[in-house]
Structures are given as structure tokens and as C-alpha cells.
Amino acid sequence: MCTARSMAEIYEANRSVCKYVHSTSRGHEAIQLATAFHLLPCDYVSPYYRDESIMLGLGFTPYQLMLQLLAKGEDIFTGGREYYNHPNYKGEDKPGIIHQSSATGMQAIPTTGVAQGVKYLAAINSPLLKKGVSGEAPVVICSLGDASVTEGEVSEAFQFAALHQLPIIYLVQDNDWGISVSSAEARTNNAYEFIHGFTGINRVSINGSNFEESYHTMQEVITDVRNNRRPWLVHAKVPLLGHHTSGVRKEFYRTTEDLDKHSIDDPGPKLRKWLLENGVAENELLEIEKESAAFVQTDFDASVASPEPHPSTVSDHVFAPPAITLEKGERSPAGKEKILMVDAALFAIREIMSAFPEAVLYGQDVGRRLGGVFREAATLAEQFGDHRVFNTAIQEAYIIGSTVGMSAVGVKPIVEVQFADYIYPGLNQLVTEISKSCYLSCGKFPVQTLIRVPIGAYGGGGPYHSGSVESTLLTIKGIKIVYPSNAADMKGLLKAAFLDPNPVVMLEHKGLYWSKVPGTEEAKMTEPAGDYVLPLGKGNIILHAHQQKIDDGESCCIITYGMGVYWAKAAAKKFNGKVEIIDLRTLFPLDEELVFATVKKHGKCLILTEEQQNNSFAEALAGRVSKACFKFLDAPVEVMGALNLPAVPMNMILENAMLPNAAKVEQRLNELLNS
């Protein structure tokens, strides 16, 4: 406690040096230390931004914490990329700490995913499960401020933990403030009262400023979770003695009366008084205080002198190196029948789950009764069990965000969002947690997850089951986007996406699943062999123009993907060898080498997409093509997409009027070739 107090004091006394925004644990020290002292290296903990005392209690030094405070290059957590006390840690000597963002409450889902993964590994008796030296089972701690509990995603985590009885403790530190919003303004009840509605989560409320009470309570709760594998919520009432952050200072919004009221519960003087009453000498306490202050000063001076990160490191660790870099295996084995795209996905996952016991599949309606609304998971639960293939509630945020924790403990999750139109509730986790984890943890926690998303219009699906979302997803840096157009690519890309150590979103066109949309019969292809993989980022020329047409300057190329492949192929039949078609297959990473070389060869290019055209990925690609190929172009790069409407109409006549089709592409090719 003396160390934490000295750290806060030295930060305040050196505000010009401590220029990056930060919070301290002042007022929260007792419950944080009491928690940390009971954790083992086999455990997991997600501290939030005010939890520096948890870090001290785990054995991290002030110097290590201060390197992050000052965003120094030798910061062991994030290399100068993250705020103070936004740690992540992977080692044998301390509990695991996954990366988490600064978004309050967002850690609840990924950390619950850790507990979900721990339970699964125990169920299959996996050697990946960490245990204590005496065989202790791991416990997961998710630390939260009281204001964050009002977040909807926290409730999704509570719901899943309660339903599945996960070994997790939600430690809620209640200081009555959410920046300048008081508890009276923000909520009708505290976390202890709120959690009562989640049947199956045990609860306790304590005075978190009293170290003795906090220590014994956390000892009892952690022991119960370690032995009985069930969730708890600990509500700890604490004072807030410091500023919300260094930039939002307490005097801006708090009254003297409020500050005085909180100072009465300062855990430091409380513990000091208790120690004196229990026989510790005054001079011994004075010596501790003196030594702590000197220790903190020495570490602070050393951290100030530590070097800044080198600019050359700024682009390191965006992705972990891919596992699949070459196309391998037999794509079209003799004697195999042609299969539908939906079956290619099903067969690929069946082979994956047979080979990898740590692979699981979950999402809405993918379980035993239905096997997916498109039957894309049919029979998988029967074959692999309900513990590996199972339904979730309507919780897109949990479905997506839980994969952070699952991946961190060694589980390999495949999850499904039922329709692309419904991915938006999950974007918070995808953007805030998943996409940044590898980069901000300096490569320690890439998130290996495969997120399957049925996409696109397929004839009367209407405004909430027909949308395209690739441009939205492509604005997110740190994830990969795959978009197969046929069964062979589906199987090869799905295998590669699963094996990739990074987050991959696989967009699967509903209209191609069953080849029921007229003109898409060629999406059915011979099933590749079980060892076939197709690396991400490799496009494919699916139709070559005649060389004579190219030499005569009478050719053009179409750059497309998904359903656009079939519109382009149908239209190209009218142009007698004048059209070359590239199927991108992967939207990020993008095969720019193939795209640029093809455009330069023809001098005329049409980029075709199903998305609404304005501000789309296709338009952005057109700009890049124009710049890279400017000297080779004989006409402006053309883009063709859907009409710029807010949604796809239900009526199929209106849907057809909105979307591209072969006839519209033919008309545009006529104009381009004659320009």
C-alpha cells in the first residue's frame, strides 16, 4: 500500500513528465492486493485500468509499470503502445493476463471466454490446461469498475457464466463514480443487487477498504471457485481517493464534502491502525514507508531514463506469421463428386474437428436440433458432442468476443454469426478487442478465431437478411477477410483460415451455398482432398482473355468476388474472348500483385461488387488501381455495385432493380470496351 501511494504521489509531483493519461489505484489498494495475494501462476486475471495494486500484488515492480506509464520502448507489456496499467502477460511465474482495451466493461466477455476455455480444456482432459504445482485448478478473475456493469455486454458475460457455471470471479470495485457520473445518476442498484437476477452466480458484498475483510473473503471465494468450479461476483465498496485520470481531475467535479467522505475510508491508514493494534511497532511501519518511497523514486528515475521505442517498430506485430503460405494438397481428386458450397464448409469443419480436439463450433442455432439455419453445421453435434458444437443465445458480442479468451488458453474456436446483417452488435468486440490484441500485446496474444458470416442477397431475403458488410469489416485493421465463390475455394480457404493464428472473418454467400440462384451452378465443384489448403491473399484468374484480343487492345478485365464472379462470367460470354476475370477470393490480405499485373495487361478494368457502390471497398480499390496502373490505363477504372440504398428491399423485383446482374454488367462492359 505504501508503494502504491508513493507511486501516485510521484506521478502527481511530476505531471509534466507523466504526460500520458493514467489512473492510479488510490483507495482501491486493499481489495486489489487481497485478490492478487491468493492467485497462482495457473490462474488468469484481467485487471482494469485502475488496478495497479493488483499488478504490484502479483509481483510486478513499479519500474515495470512505470515503463508503460511513460510509454517507453522497454515496456514489457505493449512496447509503448498502451495506456498505463493495460497489461498483458504470458509466463510461468505469474497468472496469465490477456490483452484488453480501455473500453470499460469490454473485458468481461473476453475474460469470460478464458473461463469458458478453461472449462472446455478440463472437460476433454487436455494437456493445454494449466494447473498449479499441486494440481490446483485455475481460477479466472475479471476486474470491473462499478460504472461498467451497466454495459450491455457485461450482462451477456454474466448470462453465459451463469448458464454454463464457469470458474470465474467478477470483482466489482464500487467507488460510486463513473468519471463525473454518480451512482445515483447511473443505476438503480449496485452490482451485488444486480447480479441476483442471474441465477447461478454466487455473490458477496464487502468493505473493500478493509484489508483483513478483503483478504479473508477473497481467500474463501477463490478457494470455492478453485474447488467447486462455479461463478461468483464480489462487490467491494471502496473510496476513490485519486483523480479519475490525470486528465480528468477530481476537483473538476467533486465537492470537498464528497472528497472528505471518501478519505475517511482510505485503506492505508486503516491498515496502519490495525497493524499498530496488533503489535507491529511504529518504527517498523515508518521504516516501511521510508523504504517504499525511496524504492519508488529509484524506479521512477530509472524509467524516465529508459529509452523511447524506435520508430521502426511501429508496424511490428499487426499479425502473427501465417501458418499456410502455399497451396497444398489435391484440389480436384479423381473419382470425387461435385459438391455444394455449403457441404464443402460442412466437410471442412468435420475434418478440422476430427483432427483438432481443441476445436469447437458455436453460435445461434448451430447445435444438434437444427445444425445451422442453412444446415451448414448439420450432424456435427451428433458426431462431436454437445460440448463441442452448441447453441448460444442471441449474443453476437459474446459469440465474437469470447474467442479472445478461448484462443488465449489454447482452444481453437469457430463461431457463427447467423446473418451478416446481425454482425453489428459484435463489432465492438471485433474492433476493440480482437483486432488490436496481437498488435498491442507485441505478438503475445494473437487471436486465433474463425468467424463465419453468411452474407449477400439470395432472392427475397429482405432488408435484414440480404446485406453486404465487407466494406465495414475492411475498415478494421488487424483482421483478415475471406470471401470464397465456389466449393473448392470454400474448403481450401476455410482450412487455411482455421489454421491461421490470426482472426479471420469468412464471408459465405447465401446465394451460392446451394447453387439455387440461376447462373450459379458452377459454384458446385469437385471436393478437394482432406489435406487441401489454399493460402489467404491469393486471387485466381477464372477466365482468361484471348491473347490476340489483348495484343489488339480489345480486352478488359473484371476484378470481383462472391456473387460478382457469376454475373461477370455470364456477361463475358457475350464478348468472345475480350474479358478476363479475377476472383479475389480474399479481400484482406489482397492479391495486389495479381490485380495490378492484370490491369496493366489490359488497360481497362471494371471492379464489380454486390455492395452499395458509394464509399465501398470496390471504390477504394479503384483508387489504388488507378494510382498503381496509371501509365497503363486506356480508360478510367470503372466500378459497378448496387444502388446506394439503405437496405435490400424484400420484393424481388425491387431487389433485382437494386443489385447488379449479368445484363447490367454486359451493358457496362460494352461501354468500357468501346470507350
Side-chain angles (χ1 to χ4, degrees):
M1 284 193 193
C2 292
T3 300
R5 183 173 67 238
S6 294
M7 291 165 68
E9 290 170 350
I10 206 167
Y11 300 165
E12 186 69 9
N14 293 272
R15 288 175 61 187
S16 61
V17 177
C18 305
K19 59 188 177 182
Y20 299 111
V21 64
H22 58 272
S23 299
T24 73
S25 59
R26 287 292 289 118
H28 295 226
E29 301 97 328
I31 183 61
Q32 291 184 18
L33 291 168
T35 300
F37 291 158
H38 292 298
L39 296 180
L40 303 175
C42 65
D43 295 329
Y44 297 87
V45 59
S46 288
Y48 86 114
Y49 60 81
R50 201 176 293 286
D51 281 354
E52 67 186 357
S53 285
I54 284 185
M55 300 298 289
L56 293 171
L58 293 175
F60 293 96
T61 65
Y63 175 70
Q64 290 172 316
L65 302 185
M66 291 169 179
L67 290 176
Q68 190 172 53
L69 170 83
L70 303 176
K72 294 290 189 168
E74 294 177 1
D75 159 30
I76 65 168
F77 306 121
T78 66
R81 297 174 176 182
E82 263 281 27
Y83 304 96
Y84 182 53
N85 208 69
H86 285 61
N88 60 84
Y89 188 75
K90 182 183 288 187
E92 298 299 320
D93 60 328
K94 295 180 180 69
I97 305 174
I98 63 172
H99 175 266
Q100 65 183 52
S101 73
S102 197
T104 53
M106 295 307 96
Q107 70 270 34
I109 286 177
T111 309
T112 305
V114 171
Q116 181 186 348
V118 164
K119 180 177 180 180
Y120 175 71
L121 292 177
I124 65 170
N125 197 28
S126 171
L128 296 173
L129 180 67
K130 292 199 304 180
K131 292 184 179 180
V133 292
S134 300
E136 295 94 342
V139 165
V140 181
I141 302 277
C142 179
S143 182
L144 300 156
D146 58 299
S148 69
V149 178
T150 57
E151 283 275 5
E153 292 186 16
V154 175
S155 291
E156 290 193 23
F158 288 166
Q159 189 75 253
F160 198 94
L163 183 64
H164 294 274
Q165 289 294 284
L166 302 182
I168 187 168
I169 300 165
Y170 299 102
L171 172 61
V172 179
Q173 300 171 58
D174 184 352
N175 61 32
D176 274 333
W177 286 102
I179 309 185
S180 68
V181 179
S182 69
S183 58
E185 293 175 276
R187 48 187 166 87
T188 60
N189 49 24
N190 64 34
Y192 175 77
E193 296 159 341
F194 180 64
I195 204 68
H196 187 56
F198 294 86
T199 303
I201 297 184
N202 301 278
R203 59 180 181 152
V204 63
S205 185
I206 62 172
N207 181 351
S209 68
N210 183 305
F211 179 77
E212 184 184 19
E213 181 182 349
S214 298
Y215 185 88
H216 290 305
T217 299
M218 293 310 299
Q219 183 178 48
E220 292 170 4
V221 171
I222 289 173
T223 299
D224 182 77
V225 176
R226 204 177 296 286
N227 294 332
N228 298 316
R229 321 306 289 159
R230 56 183 184 173
W232 275 81
L233 182 137
V234 176
H235 171 252
K237 200 74 177 70
V238 292
L240 177 59
L241 302 181
H243 307 288
H244 168 67
T245 66
S246 54
V248 182
R249 304 180 65 76
K250 58 189 177 183
E251 58 267 20
F252 293 174
Y253 60 92
R254 296 178 67 182
T255 64
T256 302
E257 180 183 16
D258 175 67
L259 292 168
D260 289 344
K261 176 183 173 184
H262 278 244
S263 67
I264 294 171
D265 283 322
D266 188 336
K270 278 188 175 182
L271 180 58
R272 198 181 198 283
K273 180 174 181 291
W274 185 90
L275 291 169
L276 288 170
E277 291 172 349
N278 284 269
V280 179
E282 172 73 18
N283 64 337
E284 189 174 349
L285 296 180
L286 290 172
E287 186 63 24
I288 290 173
E289 292 164 353
K290 179 181 176 182
E291 289 180 357
S292 296
F295 176 44
V296 168
Q297 183 67 58
T298 299
D299 276 13
F300 183 73
D301 292 342
S303 65
V304 171
S306 180
E308 300 288 340
H310 196 278
S312 63
T313 66
V314 70
S315 296
D316 293 349
H317 305 299
V318 176
F319 292 108
I324 304 299
T325 57
L326 297 172
E327 186 174 2
K328 295 180 181 178
E330 199 168 357
R331 182 178 173 91
S332 302
K336 285 247 187 177
E337 295 183 357
K338 288 187 175 182
I339 60 170
L340 296 163
M341 269 186 69
V342 71
D343 287 335
L346 176 65
F347 299 161
I349 292 180
R350 180 180 294 157
E351 291 169 1
I352 286 168
M353 297 191 78
S354 296
F356 296 91
E358 62 272 29
V360 296
L361 171 66
Y362 57 98
Q364 295 167 38
D365 296 305
V366 302
R368 185 181 298 266
R369 293 187 197 91
L370 188 59
V373 294
F374 298 100
R375 304 294 288 156
E376 73 281 0
T379 73
L380 291 176
E382 286 87 344
Q383 182 173 352
F384 298 106
D386 296 330
H387 66 301
R388 296 189 67 190
V389 181
F390 57 90
N391 294 327
T392 66
I394 303 172
Q395 295 182 328
E396 288 84 3
Y398 189 87
I399 292 167
I400 290 174
S402 60
T403 66
V404 176
M406 295 281 274
S407 172
V409 301
V411 181
K412 299 181 184 298
I414 305 169
V415 298
E416 291 195 18
V417 173
Q418 202 164 73
F419 290 89
D421 311 74
Y422 300 150
I423 199 171
Y424 297 101
L427 285 187
N428 198 5
Q429 289 291 326
L430 189 61
V431 174
T432 308
E433 307 298 337
I434 289 178
S435 71
K436 295 176 173 60
S437 184
C438 186
Y439 181 69
L440 293 180
S441 69
C442 290
K444 292 190 290 297
F445 287 101
V447 180
Q448 182 174 9
T449 180
L450 172 55
I451 303 169
R452 298 181 62 194
V453 183
I455 192 170
Y458 59 114
Y464 300 108
H465 296 80
S466 307
S468 294
V469 298
E470 56 264 35
S471 291
T472 298
L473 295 174
L474 284 161
T475 63
I476 305 169
K477 313 310 172 191
I479 64 173
K480 300 182 180 183
I481 312 293
V482 178
Y483 203 141
S485 69
N486 60 68
D489 287 351
M490 170 72 88
K491 189 172 183 183
L493 288 169
L494 197 151
K495 289 281 191 76
F498 172 80
L499 294 170
D500 199 296
N502 302 288
V504 181
V505 177
M506 190 151 193
L507 302 177
E508 306 174 10
H509 201 291
K510 302 185 294 290
L512 301 178
Y513 263 156
W514 297 87
S515 289
K516 289 183 177 179
V517 174
T520 64
E521 292 79 9
E522 291 181 357
K524 292 190 290 186
M525 298 189 79
T526 302
E527 181 189 359
D531 62 346
Y532 178 67
V533 288
L534 182 60
L536 310 189
K538 298 296 181 183
N540 187 30
I541 301 176
I542 58 169
L543 180 67
H544 289 269
H546 295 165
Q547 188 60 48
Q548 189 61 53
K549 300 294 184 183
I550 299 172
D551 294 341
D552 293 344
E554 298 179 356
S555 67
C556 70
C557 63
I558 301 177
I559 314 298
T560 190
Y561 56 94
M563 186 63 75
V565 167
Y566 298 94
W567 297 328
K569 288 171 75 173
K573 292 177 181 178
K574 304 292 181 71
F575 292 92
N576 192 26
K578 294 182 178 181
V579 178
E580 190 150 309
I581 302 172
I582 291 179
D583 180 357
L584 292 175
R585 303 198 289 200
T586 302
L587 306 187
F588 189 87
L590 183 69
D591 194 346
E592 289 187 344
E593 182 180 357
L594 176 62
V595 170
F596 295 161
T598 304
V599 174
K600 289 175 182 178
K601 181 167 61 174
H602 297 280
K604 294 181 178 182
C605 172
L606 170 64
I607 300 176
L608 176 61
T609 179
E610 183 174 329
E611 280 195 296
Q612 294 91 325
Q613 182 173 326
N614 280 10
N615 304 314
S616 64
F617 157 68
E619 286 198 335
L621 178 57
R624 286 150 67 188
V625 169
S626 296
K627 182 176 181 179
C629 306
F630 182 74
K631 294 180 180 179
F632 300 85
L633 292 174
D634 298 321
V637 176
E638 293 286 334
V639 178
M640 183 176 184
L643 299 181
N644 298 301
L645 306 176
V648 180
M650 177 73 80
N651 182 278
M652 289 198 290
I653 294 174
L654 297 177
E655 177 186 277
N656 188 57
M658 176 188 179
L659 298 176
N661 57 36
K664 294 176 184 178
V665 174
E666 180 186 342
Q667 180 181 348
R668 185 65 70 89
L669 287 175
N670 261 320
E671 296 168 359
L672 180 60
L673 287 167
N674 293 320
S675 61

